[in-house]
Amino acid sequence: MQAAFEDILFKPEPDREDIKVLLSTEGPQLERLLRRGLEVKLDRLDNYVHLRGLIEFGNVCEKNCLYCGLRTGNGKVARYCLSDEEVLECARLAQTLGYGSVALQSGERSDPGFIDRIERLVREIKKIDGGSLGITLSLGEQCEETYRRWFEAGAHRYLLRIESSDEELYYRIHPRNDKHSFHTRLECLETLKHIGYQTGTGVMVGLPFQTLDQLAGDLLFFKRMDVAMVGLGPYIPHPDTPLYRYKDLIPPAKERMDMTLRMIAVLRMMMPEINMVAATANQTIDPQGREKAIAAGANVIMPNLTPGEYRESYFIYPDKACVKDQPDQCQTCLDIRLAAIGHKIQYNAWGDSLAFTKKH
Ligand code: SAM
Ligand code: SF4
């Protein structure tokens, strides 16, 4: 059994059954798996962590995902949208702090005014310091023309989680209608890749009804899609969402955290040179969660740059980590936390996915 486990750890292309063995590890085998994720990362990517200054642009959303606090059906949220000047102020701060990149994220909107504004803002951010900031967008499903306009304006990475690659589970966590089509989501990912974005996707771990087989399927999906980036994080139940009624069906926080770490380590073995985000949700359910994710194979952190007065309204899930931190505090804290686990921040660089840059 032990030999079989060690063999799987060194397989470059583990199959579904192998992955399920790795995702079931406990105790010393789990520690060994996480060490393997770290070894592969250090070997292929070094100990650098890339930053994306996160700008939570607005919480207005046309969608009704059953797990998310920003869903349009949640009447308890005070809706906001940053002004152009506030967004540019955040981007200038990212530049001053040496983050190298920003990520613009918001609820999903497809009205022409929103699309025009994003295009204009991307162009304005590109003017800062001669275009030195990389730009990731995470603005949901859009048509090809919109994705293309934003790309031509200067955005070069796009994060659109599939949430679950299993169609049946997808429809248990989304309404089954045209606005929440699994196939549209897949098409969007293909379109983003085709346009030339570094395309990222990801899933929530520990959802109600989610099985080990589906999680193994998610990892095989990332590989099959040949994505450049992945963002994995634990699901956190939000009381004002329909999925909350199943909260007693989900694993305890520690198990959701451990499963997220197993997923990160196995994915690092399968896709050694992609960028992988240590999601804020990790830190929300475990104070050391982000560092644990980095030590299992993740290599990207997204410190929050959203102006303080809006942060609590970007209420995706309860008890979000770092909601009250100031950016400079956040940076010092990150430097110290990462140094403690033998990592360092790569300042003033875009920190592109090596898997992507080698291919293009
Ligand atoms: N609206 C865009 C989208 O859906 O792609 C971007 C913003 S959305 C809030 C960003 C991510 O938050 C989603 O992809 C989802 O995985 C995550 N999220 C939403 N609700 C969550 C929850 N209750 N627990 C953990 N993650 C959640
Ligand atoms: Fe809107 Fe994104 Fe939340 Fe879905 S996950 S409700 S699209 S903000």
Side-chain angles (χ1 to χ4, degrees):
M1 179 65 192
Q2 185 63 34
F5 170 71
E6 280 290 323
D7 289 349
I8 298 172
L9 276 186
F10 287 88
K11 276 192 184 176
E13 305 232 339
D15 64 21
R16 204 176 188 99
E17 290 312 310
D18 293 333
I19 295 172
K20 280 157 72 174
V21 169
L22 297 177
L23 294 182
S24 309
T25 47
E26 296 286 354
Q29 284 193 335
L30 170 55
E31 282 169 29
R32 177 73 190 97
L33 170 65
L34 303 186
R35 265 203 320 281
R36 180 77 194 129
L38 179 62
E39 276 163 24
V40 174
K41 181 182 70 169
L42 294 179
D43 183 42
R44 302 288 281 267
L45 300 179
D46 214 337
N47 64 345
Y48 281 110
V49 172
H50 309 300
L51 300 183
R52 320 280 181 239
L54 177 63
I55 307 173
E56 295 162 334
F57 177 73
N59 64 358
V60 178
C61 186
E62 296 166 356
K63 283 205 165 169
N64 240 334
C65 307
L66 303 179
Y67 44 85
C68 176
L70 304 191
R71 63 197 305 273
T72 189
N74 182 9
K76 294 189 186 167
V77 185
R79 304 284 171 174
Y80 76 89
C81 191
L82 298 188
S83 69
D84 288 7
E85 193 39 44
E86 283 169 326
V87 173
L88 294 174
E89 196 49 47
C90 292
R92 285 191 282 266
L93 184 58
Q95 166 62 20
T96 309
L97 294 170
Y99 283 5
S101 284
V102 289
L104 219 54
Q105 194 183 74
S106 83
E108 193 172 304
R109 287 176 57 180
S110 50
D111 48 289
F114 177 80
I115 292 165
D116 291 350
R117 262 195 87 199
I118 297 292
E119 182 180 10
R120 204 172 56 240
L121 281 167
V122 169
R123 287 191 196 284
E124 289 300 317
I125 293 171
K126 275 288 160 198
K127 287 183 192 157
I128 297 172
D129 194 36
S132 65
L133 284 174
I135 304 181
T136 306
L137 299 179
S138 175
L139 305 169
E141 292 168 22
Q142 305 288 341
C143 68
E144 178 168 352
E145 191 205 335
T146 300
Y147 283 148
R148 210 173 272 286
R149 278 174 58 188
W150 293 347
F151 184 74
E152 281 162 11
H156 66 133
R157 294 189 284 247
Y158 204 102
L159 199 54
L160 180 71
R161 284 185 176 180
I162 188 75
E163 314 296 0
S164 168
S165 66
D166 183 281
E167 187 168 353
E168 198 188 314
L169 181 56
Y170 188 89
Y171 284 119
R172 291 186 99 157
I173 62 170
H174 296 94
R176 193 181 275 273
N177 60 32
D178 285 354
K179 245 194 167 348
H180 301 82
S181 153
F182 180 70
H183 289 280
T184 305
R185 196 113 181 142
L186 288 177
E187 274 169 23
C188 284
L189 287 170
E190 291 295 354
T191 305
L192 288 163
K193 280 201 309 181
H194 177 70
I195 291 172
Y197 281 97
Q198 284 174 54
T199 303
T201 191
V203 294
M204 284 175 285
V205 177
L207 288 161
F209 316 112
Q210 193 174 44
T211 64
L212 199 67
D213 191 62
Q214 287 166 335
L215 287 169
D218 290 334
L219 297 180
L220 291 167
F221 170 81
F222 303 147
K223 177 92 183 165
R224 201 166 57 245
M225 289 291 288
D226 195 19
V227 288
M229 337 183 275
V230 168
L232 284 173
Y235 163 65
I236 301 173
H238 186 305
D240 302 319
T241 61
L243 212 61
Y244 191 73
R245 76 173 71 110
Y246 300 114
K247 68 176 189 322
D248 296 333
L249 296 184
I250 66 171
K254 172 157 186 346
E255 181 45 34
R256 277 176 284 144
M257 183 71 218
D258 283 352
M259 187 56 86
T260 302
L261 298 177
R262 290 183 193 102
M263 293 279 285
I264 290 173
V266 178
L267 186 60
R268 180 55 74 201
M269 290 162 45
M270 294 168 68
M271 303 182 80
E273 295 181 346
I274 62 167
N275 274 351
M276 234 192 287
V277 184
T280 309
N282 292 307
Q283 206 184 345
T284 298
I285 62 169
D286 178 338
Q288 298 292 318
R290 257 190 333 198
E291 293 86 321
K292 286 182 182 173
I294 294 290
N299 67 329
V300 174
I301 287 182
M302 299 171 74
N304 200 335
L305 289 180
T306 312
E309 66 264 40
Y310 301 109
R311 287 205 196 163
E312 291 191 8
S313 300
Y314 202 79
F315 188 38
I316 310 174
Y317 47 72
D319 306 319
K320 221 165 116 209
C322 296
V323 165
K324 296 198 164 59
D325 290 5
Q326 292 305 310
D328 50 344
Q329 283 174 336
C330 185
Q331 187 176 12
T332 316
C333 158
L334 267 179
D335 274 324
I336 295 169
R337 281 166 172 250
L338 290 173
I341 54 164
H343 282 68
K344 53 188 172 211
I345 294 172
Q346 188 174 39
Y347 285 107
N348 299 306
W350 286 7
D352 283 335
S353 152
L354 184 60
F356 182 90
T357 38
K358 269 192 177 171
K359 223 173 297 153
H360 297 82

